[in-house]
Amino acid sequence: LGVFYLLYMGLWCVFCTNSINILAGVNGLEVGQSLVIAVACIVYNVIQYQKASAAMPSSLTESALAAHSIAILFLLPFVALCVAMWQANRYPAKWFVGDSFTYFAGTVLACASIVGHFTKTLMLFFVPQLLNFLISVP
């Protein structure tokens, strides 16, 4: 795939950052959706880790174990951050996170999916944002 894979990864990062940002402005929605997606990604990675660890040992399963471990370790602090921020950002919001958080959240989710090799699964978690995009296209 070569160049097309690199183009896909670049576009994937842009999609994730903008899809979190597109629903910003509603009290707690950007933090809440980031939290739900990140927890779903952790659950998915834990399940895949258990499947890979139960499989026959090979270099492929060791690579899958490492990829899922890194993705889990990447997302756990992000979930803790989202839980703490959601306390002050839910309705009625005491403060608003703005573009800096939404771009950060999208980038964290995109990078975790790239490192953990689950970009297609993350696309399923972004279906509401994808539908919102399709509805708002003129």
Side-chain angles (χ1 to χ4, degrees):
L1 294 172
V3 175
F4 294 112
Y5 183 73
L6 294 175
L7 179 66
Y8 170 74
M9 288 297 122
L11 291 174
W12 179 246
C13 290
V14 171
F15 169 76
C16 287
T17 56
N18 287 319
S19 65
I20 296 292
N21 191 36
I22 200 166
L23 295 176
V26 181
N27 290 340
L29 190 57
E30 56 268 82
V31 177
Q33 71 179 342
S34 300
L35 179 62
V36 168
I37 292 170
V39 168
C41 289
I42 289 174
V43 169
Y44 171 78
N45 278 294
V46 167
I47 291 169
Q48 293 301 316
Y49 184 89
Q50 289 175 344
K51 283 183 181 179
S53 63
M56 298 282 283
S58 69
S59 62
L60 186 60
T61 57
E62 290 176 12
S63 173
L65 288 172
H68 292 300
S69 298
I70 292 170
I72 291 168
L73 292 175
F74 201 68
L75 289 170
L76 282 175
F78 179 69
V79 167
L81 169 77
C82 287
V83 168
M85 290 177 71
W86 187 71
Q87 296 301 318
N89 189 245
R90 63 184 173 177
Y91 182 81
K94 296 176 184 76
W95 45 276
F96 297 94
V97 292
D99 287 343
S100 56
F101 174 76
T102 59
Y103 290 148
F104 170 73
T107 303
V108 167
L109 294 170
C111 291
S113 72
I114 291 168
V115 169
H117 306 293
F118 61 96
T119 56
K120 292 177 209 140
T121 304
L122 187 62
M123 180 62 83
L124 292 175
F125 298 145
F126 275 105
V127 165
Q129 288 82 357
L130 190 60
L131 291 175
N132 183 30
F133 169 74
L134 293 175
I135 291 170
S136 60
V137 170

